[in-house]
């Protein structure tokens, strides 16, 4: 059999990276950051330990990328859910509810994520974070911002601050209160987005994360790559 084609190898690498991202989110949600090792993540993903280092410099970078993937896919899903809309106010409401919903439904994961940002390595740029930024910038623009370059960083800071406030151990602020403040700032009606009384709660959210990570069966080799 001839070697796999470059396109098949690229798809296999992509799927391996996706499985590592998904495994990181699952394990940190279950155990916390400190109790999760790179070996644990590799085992959950069905990957070799050395493959983790091939894609990510370390555990902190892997976990931040994984959480940013979950955030941008959650946001993307909220913005595009039915009924689809181009209304800037509705999209802003959906964005706020999506991010606050992660704080409500995945407190362990999001608390560890915020703690990591505040440590020495700080906020790390990665493809997942850039996609999240693109979606939030687009939301800001559709909402009618005359200066997205200035308004987007403020929106990001307010969302991060709200997530932090919702997760402070011992003195968390209720998500509905934080939502009301953000809605007031952006002049949004309470009925937009996903009002608190219609949102799920309970601290874990949907256990099946597979839709956020493009994993699946390994691609078949092209028959043309096989010797006769």
């Amino acid at each position: 059999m001839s070697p796999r084609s470059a396109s098949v190898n690229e798809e296999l690498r992509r799927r391996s990276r996706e499985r590592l991202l998904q495994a990181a989110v699952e394990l940190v949600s279950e155990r916390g950051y400190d109790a999760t090792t790179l070996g644990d993540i590799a085992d959950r993903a069905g990957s070799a330990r050395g493959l983790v280092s091939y894609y990510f410099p370390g555990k902190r970078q892997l976990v931040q990328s994984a959480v940013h993937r979950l955030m941008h896919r959650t946001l993307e899903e909220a913005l595009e859910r039915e009924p689809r809309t181009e209304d800037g106010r509705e999209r802003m409401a959906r964005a706020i509810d999506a991010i606050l919903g992660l704080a409500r439904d995945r407190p362990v994961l999001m608390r560890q994520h915020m703690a990591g940002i505040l440590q020495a390595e700080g906020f790390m740029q990665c493809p997942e974070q850039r996609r999240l930024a693109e979606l939030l910038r687009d939301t800001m623009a559709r909402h009618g911002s005359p200066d997205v370059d200035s308004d987007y960083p403020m929106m990001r800071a307010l969302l991060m601050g709200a997530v932090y406030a919702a997760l402070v151990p011992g003195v968390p602020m209720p998500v509905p209160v934080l939502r009301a403040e953000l809605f007031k700032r952006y002049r949004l009606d309470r009925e937009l987005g996903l009002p608190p009384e219609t949102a799920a709660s309970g601290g874990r959210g949907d256990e099946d994360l597979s839709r956020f990570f493009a994993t699946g069966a390994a691609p078949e080799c092209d028959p043309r790559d096989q010797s006769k």
Side-chain angles (χ1 to χ4, degrees):
M1 182 179 291
S2 302
R4 290 191 296 259
S5 68
S7 62
V8 170
N9 283 330
E10 179 62 27
E11 178 64 11
L12 289 170
R13 286 192 292 269
R14 186 184 68 81
R15 290 179 181 272
S16 293
R17 187 177 186 276
E18 296 282 320
R19 286 194 295 271
L20 290 169
L21 292 171
Q22 181 175 345
V25 164
E26 291 173 348
L27 286 169
V28 174
S29 294
E30 295 167 10
R31 308 176 184 178
Y33 179 83
D34 291 335
T36 299
T37 68
L38 287 174
D40 294 333
I41 294 171
D43 289 344
R44 175 69 66 91
S47 300
R49 169 65 178 79
L51 197 60
V52 183
S53 300
Y54 176 79
Y55 292 115
F56 304 97
K59 184 170 74 167
R60 182 64 68 188
Q61 291 88 343
L62 167 55
V63 172
Q64 277 207 31
S65 290
V67 177
H68 282 138
R69 164 59 64 85
L70 179 61
M71 291 176 73
H72 95 62
R73 286 288 175 85
T74 298
L75 176 58
E76 188 173 58
E77 184 177 83
L79 292 173
E80 300 306 319
R81 73 168 183 265
E82 297 295 340
R84 299 278 298 274
T85 180
E86 299 300 319
D87 180 76
R89 297 174 71 251
E90 171 64 20
R91 292 177 72 87
M92 177 65 79
R94 291 185 183 189
I96 292 170
D97 284 338
I99 301 303
L100 290 181
L102 285 171
R104 179 196 63 228
D105 296 334
R106 302 190 181 278
V108 174
L109 179 68
M110 296 304 292
R111 189 177 292 119
Q112 298 294 325
H113 178 59
M114 297 300 293
I117 290 175
L118 294 173
Q119 291 190 6
E121 296 92 341
F123 188 77
M124 299 172 193
Q125 300 285 340
C126 62
E128 286 74 22
Q129 185 277 327
R130 287 192 287 273
R131 180 57 181 150
L132 175 63
E134 289 169 3
L135 288 172
L136 289 173
R137 286 180 63 91
D138 180 70
T139 299
M140 194 77 254
R142 291 174 187 244
H143 187 254
S145 168
D147 186 358
V148 176
D149 288 338
S150 296
D151 291 339
Y152 159 67
M154 178 58 69
M155 177 195 189
R156 181 183 63 197
L158 290 170
L159 287 172
M160 289 177 67
V163 169
Y164 179 83
L167 297 174
V168 176
V171 288
M173 289 191 67
V175 167
V177 173
L178 295 165
R179 179 186 194 266
E181 284 298 312
L182 289 170
F183 271 43
K184 180 179 178 181
R185 177 182 179 87
Y186 291 109
R187 298 181 175 84
L188 304 174
D189 297 333
R190 185 179 186 281
E191 295 74 21
L192 295 174
L194 192 64
E197 61 270 18
T198 66
S201 62
R204 289 298 294 264
D206 187 351
E207 294 296 325
D208 183 7
L209 298 174
S210 59
R211 70 185 187 280
F212 297 120
F213 300 89
T215 57
E220 297 288 340
C221 291
D222 191 317
R224 291 171 295 182
D225 293 335
Q226 299 180 12
S227 59
K228 303 206 178 191

